Amino acid sequence: MINNITKWLDKTAEKYSEKIAIIDGERTITFRELRYKALCLAEVIVKKGLFKEPVAVVMPKSLDMIVCFLGIAYSGNFYSVIDVKLPLARQKKIMETLQPKLIITTLDMENEEEADVCHYDFAGLNLLCEEKVMEQRERTCDADLLYVLFTSGSTGDPKGVTITHQSVMDYIDWVEETFEIASEDSFGNQAPFYFDNSILDIYSMVKTGASMYIIPQSLFSQPVPLLQYLKENKITTIFWVPSALIVVANLRALKKVDLKNTLKRVLFCGEVMPNKQLNIWRKNIPDILYANLYGPTEITDACTYYIVDREFADHEPLPIGKAARNTDILVLDENNQRVGNGEAGELCVRGTSVSRGYYKNQKKTAEVFVQNPLNDKYIEYIYRTGDLVKYNEYGELLYITRKDFQIKHMGHRIELGEIETIVSGIEGIHQCCCVYDNEKKRIVLFYKGETDREHMICEMKKYLPQYMLPGKIIMIEEMPMSANGKIDRKRLQEMI
Ligand code: AMP
């Protein structure tokens, strides 16, 4: 029985031994080498007597990190990625919560209070006795943690989301089947490894034998070279945050590089994908698969999906679709009852994908991982996402906004996301985001692009009631972005 994701690697390394698993700039690693190096690292960890303990991985994004993740998993421990670009104070907070027993790093770090520091040296990794590692792995079960990812909010205490092997295996099985991923595929990875979107790329590669290209970060601000990279490397599948796809569409890069014969799937997740930019992608590369995936870190990356199967006008919202396999979605109103058609409610998730809560934080866990209010017969946890959604006339879920972005303005309840959907459909708007100015009681719209202000207001008035019109409109050169590559709303809030 496959109860630990490293058993996938055992099989893949046997079947596709000399096939390239990861391409990281000039460096490559085959599946055989990946397994070997992971086992070597696992042996080091096993020898330290660690089992079911947190191991922190502190290094810049590279194929070495994946060696670490798999090595830690082989050893029966779980990993947590510390983003080296995070402010030191925040890194410290994460370390305080995680209290790793071991830190694996390429940086110059001293031993911490409780943690051993292991300096990672790829070339120096040699295996002495595979059996010892396998013995320890046999003691694991699928309910054991694979990783703890800390959420990236820029204020407050970071929360460590715990995810088990079982959740990742269930998710990746679904990804493989739904999107028909096979060994011939190649992923163009954008997601940082501390961000849950990377789970799809990494573990699809491990399971199916597909190759994974770690795209150099600098290319994401140069759309034409970025697309050339995809073409030259015959990338078949990308799973990016919408912001990355938006930049490519806005700068008309798709006209300059023809990806029709190489790219097969464009998957995205993490924030709203505006139809205007998606339409540009679809027009330039028709007849491939586009899918909108939705989900927070707490449910193992994605729990709903919509495979784009019809035309949308630029100002229309793109559905987030329906529940992924083996996942149940409950849309609950304020009285914890299922909403009726067209009514907004909070999206709640039930199933294997749901996290075991926040690491060493029972209080926060109890707030959002709660007993299913529709079940008073036995213990059954659901995760309350804090996202507002509704069903459309096709029975598909539509994302409205986060509950926190729902405002009360002039007595009206307003979802800022609805304004954004309309504005992003206006010609000349490249990107937009609304925040609420609590002090002055007005909606502030930030946008990037070139459009006539009068025309913009006129277009907004066509679709929005007076009370939803922004009280202030600010054009900006660049949208501030969070570390994950999404629009940074907190920074915008500071700019009003
Ligand atoms: P994270 O935990 O960083 O992956 O962020 C999860 C949040 O991103 C969700 O709770 C949503 O608010 C938002 N999100 C994720 N996917 C989508 C999507 N496809 N459309 C709109 N918002 C999304």
Side-chain angles (χ1 to χ4, degrees):
M1 184 206 173
I2 304 276
N3 59 355
N4 182 305
I5 51 93
T6 56
K7 292 191 181 172
W8 280 346
L9 184 57
D10 292 346
K11 286 188 181 229
T12 306
E14 206 181 304
K15 201 163 171 199
Y16 303 108
S17 160
E18 298 314 310
K19 189 172 179 284
I20 303 286
I22 312 168
I23 298 88
D24 176 9
E26 298 294 297
R27 291 175 67 203
T28 59
I29 190 166
T30 63
F31 281 100
R32 181 184 50 76
E33 287 169 318
L34 179 61
R35 179 174 183 272
Y36 176 74
K37 292 290 178 184
L39 280 171
C40 299
L41 188 68
E43 187 175 44
V44 174
I45 304 170
V46 170
K47 277 195 175 151
K48 289 181 186 289
L50 302 180
F51 184 59
K52 291 185 74 171
E53 294 288 359
V55 179
V57 179
V58 189
M59 57 182 78
K61 189 177 184 185
S62 58
L63 66 78
D64 300 298
M65 288 182 95
I66 299 175
V67 172
C68 292
F69 300 163
L70 294 164
I72 295 165
Y74 268 120
S75 77
N77 293 282
F78 55 92
Y79 65 85
S80 191
V81 183
I82 313 291
D83 171 16
V84 290
K85 289 192 251 61
L86 274 184
L88 280 178
R90 196 163 176 86
Q91 289 189 29
K92 203 163 165 253
K93 266 194 173 167
I94 293 179
M95 288 293 198
E96 272 165 19
T97 306
L98 189 67
Q99 291 184 349
K101 287 280 177 291
L102 180 67
I103 300 172
I104 305 179
T105 185
T106 50
L107 311 180
D108 205 7
M109 282 177 83
E110 298 286 305
N111 273 1
E112 301 270 317
E113 224 168 277
E114 292 263 321
D116 229 349
V117 171
C118 166
H119 286 279
Y120 177 91
D121 166 26
F122 183 83
L125 283 173
N126 290 305
L127 188 67
L128 297 172
C129 175
E130 185 176 324
E131 268 162 31
K132 279 261 170 298
V133 176
M134 289 309 174
E135 262 170 38
Q136 181 137 315
R137 185 181 69 176
E138 281 317 301
R139 292 168 57 207
T140 65
C141 69
D142 65 359
D144 284 333
L145 296 188
L146 172 61
Y147 60 78
V148 175
L149 283 189
F150 282 82
T151 51
S152 58
S154 49
T155 55
D157 287 336
K159 290 175 291 191
V161 180
T162 59
I163 296 289
T164 62
H165 283 259
Q166 186 188 33
S167 298
V168 174
M169 291 188 306
D170 189 57
Y171 174 55
I172 298 298
D173 275 343
W174 170 78
V175 168
E176 182 191 12
E177 188 184 297
T178 307
F179 302 114
E180 298 175 342
I181 310 288
S183 61
E184 302 80 49
D185 281 306
S186 42
F187 284 89
N189 162 264
Q190 170 267 325
F193 297 160
Y194 51 78
F195 178 34
D196 63 336
N197 273 9
S198 64
I199 298 304
L200 186 146
D201 298 349
I202 298 172
Y203 294 102
S204 297
M205 175 267 292
V206 169
K207 172 152 198 227
T208 65
S211 300
M212 173 176 164
Y213 287 73
I214 301 179
I215 303 178
Q217 181 56 36
S218 59
L219 286 183
F220 285 93
S221 47
Q222 309 169 62
V224 173
L226 173 64
L227 297 193
Q228 276 161 349
Y229 177 97
L230 298 187
K231 190 178 166 96
E232 275 157 26
N233 293 301
K234 300 194 178 62
I235 302 291
T236 63
T237 311
I238 55 175
F239 181 43
W240 292 355
V241 277
S243 285
L245 298 173
I246 291 170
V247 172
V248 169
N250 286 344
L251 297 182
R252 299 185 174 82
L254 290 156
K255 287 242 166 299
K256 301 192 182 112
V257 186
D258 183 2
L259 295 174
K260 282 193 211 80
N261 295 324
T262 49
L263 199 59
K264 288 197 213 162
R265 307 169 192 91
V266 176
L267 315 178
F268 39 88
C269 181
E271 55 186 347
V272 172
M273 179 71 212
N275 263 312
K276 191 167 74 195
Q277 279 84 5
L278 182 61
N279 282 338
I280 297 176
W281 275 84
R282 294 178 67 188
K283 201 166 145 219
N284 284 281
I285 325 175
D287 307 324
I288 63 167
L289 181 138
Y290 291 91
N292 186 16
L293 280 72
Y294 155 91
T297 313
E298 285 84 342
I299 54 76
T300 323
D301 199 21
C303 56
T304 80
Y305 72 114
Y306 171 66
I307 295 181
V308 182
D309 61 356
R310 59 179 188 271
E311 299 303 317
F312 288 92
D314 285 354
H315 66 272
E316 278 183 294
L318 185 70
I320 56 168
K322 58 179 181 189
R325 190 187 67 189
N326 200 24
T327 300
D328 188 20
I329 301 293
L330 288 71
V331 183
L332 301 180
D333 65 15
E334 275 148 14
N335 301 317
N336 279 331
Q337 295 303 309
R338 284 187 196 267
V339 293
N341 256 358
E343 279 172 41
E346 182 177 1
L347 190 152
C348 301
V349 190
R350 191 175 75 83
T352 305
S353 64
V354 175
S355 153
R356 302 295 151 107
Y358 300 119
Y359 196 69
K360 287 201 194 138
N361 195 337
Q362 288 193 5
K363 188 166 167 268
K364 288 270 177 228
T365 300
E367 284 169 16
V368 285
F369 295 91
V370 299
Q371 171 67 22
N372 179 358
L374 305 179
N375 180 357
D376 59 5
K377 318 279 184 316
Y378 56 90
I379 293 174
E380 181 185 59
Y381 287 108
I382 59 165
Y383 172 65
R384 305 197 73 115
T385 63
D387 286 324
L388 288 176
V389 297
K390 65 181 177 193
Y391 288 101
N392 66 11
E393 67 270 35
Y394 300 98
E396 297 156 344
L397 287 162
L398 284 181
Y399 176 86
I400 307 175
T401 190
R402 283 206 58 74
K403 257 164 100 183
D404 339 341
F405 303 157
Q406 187 185 61
I407 55 160
K408 262 273 161 106
H409 177 56
M410 294 158 67
H412 299 277
R413 201 171 84 182
I414 297 174
E415 274 80 6
L416 294 174
E418 275 185 36
I419 307 174
E420 290 162 3
T421 303
I422 296 301
V423 176
S424 57
I426 300 174
E427 221 191 304
I429 299 285
H430 289 171
Q431 222 171 0
C432 71
C433 184
C434 284
V435 293
Y436 192 61
D437 183 346
N438 247 323
E439 224 168 86
K440 300 209 171 100
K441 302 278 173 244
R442 62 183 179 183
I443 298 166
V444 183
L445 165 70
F446 287 90
Y447 75 96
K448 191 181 145 187
E450 61 281 329
T451 185
D452 176 61
R453 199 168 274 246
E454 288 307 309
H455 169 69
M456 197 168 149
I457 295 170
C458 206
E459 285 298 298
M460 280 193 272
K461 281 186 176 164
K462 273 194 206 162
Y463 301 102
L464 299 171
Q466 187 68 27
Y467 62 84
M468 280 177 87
L469 294 176
K472 191 174 176 192
I473 300 178
I474 303 176
M475 191 184 92
I476 47 175
E477 289 291 313
E478 279 309 323
M479 276 288 166
M481 298 305 230
S482 72
N484 292 346
K486 304 191 202 181
I487 293 179
D488 190 339
R489 289 171 183 270
K490 292 197 179 92
R491 290 236 319 265
L492 286 177
Q493 193 83 46
E494 288 157 15
M495 286 160 66
I496 57 177

